[in-house]
Amino acid sequence: MNKLIDEAYEALKHSYSPYSNIKIGAAVTGKSGRIYRGTNIENAAYGSTICAERVAIFKAISEGESDISAIAVTGDFDGFAYPCGACRQVMSEFMKKDAKVYVGNKNEEYKEYQLDDMIPFMFTHETKGKQE
Ligand code: ZN
């Protein structure tokens, strides 16, 4: 296990998921080397729910972190916890194309990708209208 995946497992212990009963944890790191954890936080008004990945990224950015270089995401189920589309878009805002993305499962297995595996042809402030 790598350190970031370990942190993501720790984060999912704090999941607030009474509606889906699915626990997700995430952890990110950036230029400072600090690690920021996030977990999914649900709401009775389902649209107000937020994913673990965005909690971790927003915590990092709100505390002044830059150049997020890696994110780990894991869940309490057998399948691998791949980020949803909204989270992939947020990742593309704050991470470079070659940033690491680790995706885990409850068996403490994980797969390694880079961001542009997750979201090819990404829509960013640099690429708006420039890709064919
Ligand atoms: Zn998401």
Side-chain angles (χ1 to χ4, degrees), residues 51 53-54 83-84 87:
C51 300
E53 300 93 309
R54 280 179 282 157
C84 77
C87 287

Side-chain angles (χ1 to χ4, degrees), residues 3-56:
K3 172 74 173 161
L4 215 52
I5 284 280
D6 289 344
E7 293 286 340
Y9 279 109
E10 286 302 310
L12 77 71
K13 294 175 183 172
H14 302 291
S15 171
Y16 179 75
S17 46
Y19 307 104
S20 72
N21 293 310
I22 292 173
K23 297 181 189 315
I24 303 285
V28 302
T29 191
K31 192 172 186 177
S32 73
R34 284 186 61 194
I35 291 174
Y36 305 85
R37 294 178 184 170
T39 190
N40 55 325
I41 303 170
E42 297 181 348
N43 193 282
Y46 298 160
S48 300
T49 292
I50 188 165
C51 300
E53 300 93 309
R54 280 179 282 157
V55 171

